[in-house]
Amino acid sequence: MRRVVHRLRTLPLRSRLALLVASAVALAVAAAAVACWLLTRNQLYSELNTSLERSEASTSAVQAALNNCGSTATTDKPAFAYVQVVTADGVRCVEPDSQPVKIQAQDLAVARGTEGPSLHDSTTDSGAQVRVRSTHVTIRAIGPVAISVSRPLAETDTSLNRLALLLTAVAGIGVLGAGAAGLWVARAGLRPVDGLTRAVEHVARTEDLTVRIPVDGEDEIARLSRSFNSMTAALASSRDRQSQLIADAGHELRTPLTSLRTNVELLARSEETGRAIPPDDRRALMASVKAQMTELAALIGDLQELSRPDAADPGPLRVVAFHDIVESALERARLRGPELTIDARLSPWYVRAEPAALERAVVNVLDNAVKFSPPGGSIEVSLSGGGELTVRDHGPGIPAEDLPHVFERFWRSSTARALPGSGLGLSIVARTVQQAGGEIALRPAAGGEGTVAAISIPGAPTPPPEGMPAY
């Protein structure tokens, strides 16, 4: 059995489907044929029994049988029915135009009167099958006897054999037709799968993710084709984003590396030639080297953060006090902009997020506000009772045509290209806020001066009771 199953599994899917259809049809046809034969057989035997029950041996036939007792002569002449008389002691008297039928136990029981009329099968002395009906009578000169009327079964058996041959032929033709139909259906049904297979093989061979499969209908094959098209589109988009990230990262790394290389070469040349760099210039040079190193470290950290796929686990999420995180970020922002006035109004708000990532996102937003605020300017920070954090600066603002691009990786407005930064900060902010189930938006401040960054994260003004599910 295991070998058969193994061989079936090694067959192509098309052959397995055709074989499955042919097997199912064969079983159905075989069951129908057997049922038809059995019903026909039962009907023929029922009619034969009815005919025997209605037929009665004539007095002359009985008398002829009694007159023929002891005679061994038989006839080969075909007859509609055979008549014989069976006595209680087992003697049979056969009507001259009939063939002798072997006495059965039922015949003797009927002759002795221990059983009523009996229908049973028997054979003639020549071996022919017959159906017998025996009835009890009492003859004055002999006593109790059984009169047996027999009908040959040759005609019935011949009809049944012919029917069996016919049903076998029909079943065979049906199985062959079912196999051919199953193979055709399998080919027609699997034609879209063949197209999908060729497309997958083409993608695996050429890595061409622009391949799309035509979709027609709403069946499972159409759904599979749509899923394949969606998958290749997502893979193509992911590869394009990866290529763009590498290209943008290379471009962003080139500037600090070039500047760092130039400064290091100046320091090395000063050491090699023995020509000392003026102290002020040397201090400025070292400060530039330190700034470039800091920018490189920040850029590499941002790239590591963005290298994780969007579906990756951002870390353990737990209920945290958003207002405490904002307060901690404000302390760092005040150190980076000591000349600025930062006015904060924070209401309690608890959210479910990863604390370190959320604090970094808030710090990035505040850093942008510090970076674009004029000297001596002010920044208003507000965390409302509805869970919306707004950060407003009084800088130059963001042009309306630049707003759709602010959350793109490495994108920097024309007014920010001269300022330090990698263009990754807001991308990281948007990603962190979305992972926490929130939203972020930038909009022009009222009055046309500055920009408002708004972060909204679902939560509640009070922490959930212990043991209750988080927000």
Side-chain angles (χ1 to χ4, degrees), residues 393-410:
D393 62 58
H394 293 268
I398 301 176
E401 62 273 13
D402 291 343
L403 283 176
H405 306 286
V406 292
F407 296 110
E408 296 177 5
R409 296 174 180 179
F410 295 107

Side-chain angles (χ1 to χ4, degrees), residues 341-345 378-382 390-394:
T341 300
I342 301 180
D343 181 22
R345 296 186 302 277
S378 63
I379 299 174
E380 290 87 31
V381 180
S382 172
T390 58
V391 178
R392 177 191 174 164
D393 62 58
H394 293 268

Side-chain angles (χ1 to χ4, degrees), residues 22-36 167-176 178:
S23 300
V25 172
L27 290 175
V29 170
V34 171
C36 179
L167 291 176
T168 301
V170 171
I173 295 174
V175 171
L176 293 178

Side-chain angles (χ1 to χ4, degrees), residues 303-382:
L303 288 174
Q304 288 177 336
E305 175 68 22
L306 289 175
S307 65
R308 296 188 306 175
D310 293 339
D313 185 5
L317 301 181
R318 60 176 185 269
V319 176
V320 296
F322 194 20
H323 50 282
D324 290 343
I325 288 178
V326 175
E327 185 63 45
S328 177
L330 283 170
E331 293 178 4
R332 297 169 61 177
R334 290 189 178 99
L335 293 177
R336 298 179 184 184
E339 76 283 359
L340 300 175
T341 300
I342 301 180
D343 181 22
R345 296 186 302 277
L346 307 179
S347 299
W349 192 254
Y350 294 86
V351 299
R352 186 173 182 270
E354 199 276 309
L358 184 58
E359 182 174 349
R360 182 175 183 180
V362 177
V363 168
N364 284 345
V365 173
L366 293 174
D367 278 348
N368 277 347
V370 170
K371 185 190 306 182
F372 291 103
S373 293
S378 63
I379 299 174
E380 290 87 31
V381 180
S382 172

